[in-house]
Amino acid sequence: MPQTSPLNIDFAALRVLRVVHEQRSFSRAAEHLGTNQSTISYTIERLRAVFQDPLFIRQAGGVAPTVRCDKIVEDTQPLIETFLELANPDAFDPASAKATVRLACNYFERATIVPHLVRDLRRAAPDISLRIVSSTSQGRELLSSGEADTLVGPFKIEATGFYRERLFREEYVCVMDPHNPLAKDDLSIEQFLDAPHAVVTYGRTWKSWFLQEMDHAGLKLRMALELPSPAILPELIEGTDLISTIPSRIAKRFGPQIVTRPCPFPAPFDIYMHWTARTHRSPMHQWLRQRIAATKGL
């Protein structure tokens, strides 16, 4: 394979390399980048000629990176992000700023943090457009590919190249109809296990911490209803003997329509905000992260 001069490669090609590396698939990378698979293949061939390495080996269901590819992706990402930072203006005035910022999160954050953030932006930065991206279980990939600027959720990314701030601690509570006999007092573990449950699965992209804690203890719920979101939970449990276990900040939003009781498995967990070097020194994104942190999911 004749070697191509490294100066013939641009940052866009290196971004393609990183997305293929994350997706482990040319076709999925093309979908993420909004292009076609032939463009991805052509770009990877150019990179192979530069680095004198196959970079990816075909395997069932996609491709696997070579050891050299892993190192190239790790070493070039800071170069890309530093270059992008150079294009950011040094001064930032929220009142006059015009931009689109992308926040990756899921239902919990959309219900507890986003409403406060939207009101804050409309008041202080009316020309900044907020785009909410559903992160499901792909938050890290969304940040790495640049499809999201900030990620908020109940997990901690330990990998190199990510920044993190802990926002607040949350725990689970039990909710039920006010006329449910169990609403009179705190639940024992036995009452909790015997009660019929409306279990929120969050579209099966996330398993609640209290369920993970119960799994470790070898305990199971009596599931009478399974639903992907707690959005209409009060209407579903009204007038029934069902109970459900949800984060306390979600329960507070339902008001007197339901009764809240401590959960025998509160399973405290932390909510984190993550970002990458691409936006780390951006005055606009620094300001935005400060606004997100100030909400505390109240």
Side-chain angles (χ1 to χ4, degrees):
M1 178 188 299
Q3 186 168 19
T4 299
S5 170
L7 297 179
N8 290 333
I9 293 300
D10 55 22
F11 287 118
L14 293 176
R15 185 188 179 204
V16 168
L17 178 69
R18 184 172 185 87
V19 174
V20 174
H21 184 271
E22 290 163 353
Q23 297 297 319
R24 299 295 199 266
S25 165
F26 283 22
S27 59
R28 288 194 294 271
E31 183 178 348
H32 266 264
L33 293 171
T35 186
N36 54 59
Q37 188 169 337
S38 61
T39 299
I40 300 296
S41 299
Y42 172 73
T43 303
I44 296 301
E45 285 301 321
R46 291 174 57 213
L47 292 168
R48 283 168 172 161
V50 167
F51 294 112
Q52 293 292 287
D53 187 87
L55 299 177
F56 297 99
I57 307 298
R58 293 196 177 278
Q59 63 176 19
V63 294
T66 63
V67 172
R68 178 155 167 72
C69 180
D70 287 336
K71 186 175 189 308
I72 292 168
V73 168
E74 181 179 357
D75 290 349
T76 58
Q77 186 62 18
L79 300 176
I80 298 172
E81 292 172 343
T82 299
F83 183 77
L84 290 172
E85 285 181 20
L86 294 174
N88 288 327
D90 292 331
F92 173 67
D93 175 19
S96 61
K98 299 180 185 296
T100 297
V101 294
R102 295 157 296 185
L103 174 64
C105 59
N106 287 316
Y107 177 84
F108 174 84
E109 298 79 29
R110 291 196 296 269
T112 60
I113 292 176
V114 171
H116 302 279
L117 180 61
V118 168
R119 286 191 288 272
D120 204 356
L121 288 176
R122 298 311 304 155
R123 181 185 67 254
D127 288 326
I128 290 183
S129 173
L130 178 64
R131 181 177 300 167
I132 304 299
V133 181
S134 182
S135 63
T136 60
S137 59
Q138 303 296 315
R140 174 174 167 174
E141 291 78 6
L142 291 171
L143 277 184
S144 296
S145 66
E147 294 178 73
D149 304 310
T150 309
L151 168 68
V152 179
F155 39 76
K156 185 190 296 187
I157 300 176
E158 302 281 6
T160 302
F162 293 90
Y163 295 87
R164 178 179 69 245
E165 179 179 346
R166 178 184 175 275
L167 297 180
F168 55 85
R169 172 150 286 200
E170 175 64 297
E171 65 178 13
Y172 292 95
V173 295
C174 295
V175 296
M176 62 198 78
D177 183 272
H179 297 99
N180 190 319
L182 295 176
K184 298 177 181 178
D185 207 347
D186 292 353
L187 296 173
S188 67
I189 292 179
E190 290 75 17
Q191 288 174 316
F192 180 78
L193 295 175
D194 288 342
H197 285 257
V199 180
V200 181
T201 65
Y202 302 99
R204 296 190 178 277
T205 60
W206 171 261
K207 189 167 189 177
S208 295
W209 293 110
F210 83 95
L211 289 174
Q212 296 182 44
E213 188 174 294
M214 291 181 65
D215 285 346
H216 293 152
L219 301 172
K220 298 292 182 184
L221 293 178
R222 282 183 58 203
M223 185 172 66
L225 173 66
E226 179 180 320
L227 62 157
S229 165
I232 59 168
L233 193 56
E235 290 81 1
L236 293 176
I237 65 176
E238 183 179 6
T240 76
D241 59 346
L242 293 171
I243 72 170
S244 189
T245 304
I246 57 176
S248 65
R249 284 170 172 80
I250 297 294
K252 287 178 183 177
R253 297 178 64 251
F254 294 151
Q257 191 174 355
I258 54 95
V259 168
T260 301
R261 291 288 177 260
C263 177
F265 300 92
F269 60 94
D270 291 322
I271 299 296
Y272 291 95
M273 175 167 58
H274 291 86
W275 63 96
T276 68
R278 183 175 64 84
T279 61
H280 183 59
R281 293 185 177 87
S282 162
M284 179 181 69
H285 288 284
Q286 288 176 346
W287 179 85
L288 183 71
R289 291 193 295 268
Q290 290 171 357
R291 305 322 306 151
I292 293 172
T295 69
K296 298 296 182 185
L298 299 176

